Amino acid sequence: MAVPPQLKAVQHHYKTALEHDERDPVVAYYCRLYAMQTGMKLDSKTPECRKFLMKLMDQLELMKKELSTNESISQEIVGNAHIENYALKLFFYADNEDRSGRFHKNMIKSFYTSSLLLDVLCVFGELSEENLQHRKYARWKSTYIHNCLKNGETPQ
Amino acid sequence: TGTLASSVASAEQDELSQRLAKLRDQI
């Protein structure tokens, strides 16, 4: 389903959910939960947003039922650790590639996805100072390296 | 009509908030 323009701020988190439905349903679930919570704050009044959010809620309820035996879903504290570990794994993979001078699309995507998953961590509460810094760095790096590669420049 | 549409929107908003709280075991 298409994300309404009013909810553009969560479109990449929703896309990340779709990309992880098979690969890691726990990540897919919490990305949807973030999109849901944030989407409700952005716009839950216009008909297109209400329709989108209602469908998103249906998906979340269904996923929670299907994954009820998974502790990362039934206990949010376990889910918090799962998302944080996954986000940092992507971050350190990309950081290692960066420090080794290996610049490619996959590392850019890893930096960017880690920043999105650090956003998702906000559903569990305020981000730690360390995670705030990781998020800022990952987002900046993904944009910087993307622009360098696009312009044929070597990132510094 | 505007008032009716607004009432429907509010009711659906409440429904979403309740379902979200239930999903997160907050009620």
Side-chain angles (χ1 to χ4, degrees):
Chain A
M1 57 186 180
V3 180
Q6 298 93 320
L7 306 181
K8 197 181 162 195
V10 296
Q11 67 178 352
H12 293 289
H13 305 85
Y14 181 66
K15 192 178 163 212
T16 304
L18 298 176
E19 288 169 352
H20 285 80
D21 274 330
E22 299 294 326
R23 202 186 305 171
D24 191 323
V26 172
V27 169
Y29 176 83
Y30 284 107
C31 283
R32 280 190 176 84
L33 184 60
Y34 174 83
M36 182 75 214
Q37 266 195 194
T38 310
M40 280 177 70
K41 285 178 199 158
L42 292 171
D43 185 349
S44 60
K45 287 187 176 172
T46 55
E48 63 268 39
C49 288
R50 289 208 311 268
K51 194 177 168 191
F52 175 82
L53 293 170
M54 284 287 188
K55 282 191 177 175
L56 189 56
M57 184 59 86
D58 290 342
Q59 291 176 356
L60 277 164
E61 288 169 344
L62 185 64
M63 286 183 88
K64 188 165 184 188
K65 200 173 165 187
E66 285 175 351
L67 300 167
S68 60
T69 55
N70 189 325
E71 283 193 346
S72 292
I73 300 295
S74 60
Q75 297 177 47
E76 288 202 357
I77 194 165
V78 184
N80 187 345
H82 183 101
I83 301 300
E84 187 171 18
N85 287 340
Y86 194 99
L88 294 180
K89 201 167 125 184
L90 287 178
F91 180 92
F92 288 117
Y93 160 73
D95 192 46
N96 188 46
E97 291 296 281
D98 184 23
R99 290 173 197 276
S100 305
R102 291 188 292 267
F103 307 107
H104 48 90
K105 280 186 179 175
N106 198 29
M107 63 95 77
I108 296 171
K109 174 128 184 169
S110 295
F111 263 136
Y112 188 59
T113 305
S114 78
S115 77
L116 294 174
L117 293 178
L118 290 166
D119 285 338
V120 170
L121 275 186
C122 295
V123 301
F124 306 109
E126 274 188 28
L127 284 190
S128 65
E129 188 55 38
E130 198 181 10
N131 282 336
L132 281 169
Q133 292 303 322
H134 281 135
R135 181 173 69 172
K136 194 175 169 187
Y137 183 81
R139 198 152 291 169
W140 171 72
K141 269 286 176 181
S142 62
T143 309
Y144 170 70
I145 298 171
H146 171 80
N147 288 337
C148 284
L149 296 188
K150 198 172 84 176
N151 299 326
E153 295 164 6
T154 305
Q156 298 298 311
Chain B
T1 316
T3 312
L4 180 65
S6 164
S7 301
V8 171
S10 294
E12 286 183 349
Q13 210 174 340
D14 287 349
E15 185 197 328
L16 275 176
S17 300
Q18 281 190 12
R19 286 170 73 186
L20 182 61
K22 196 176 170 196
L23 187 83
R24 305 198 67 191
D25 302 319
Q26 289 168 344
I27 50 171

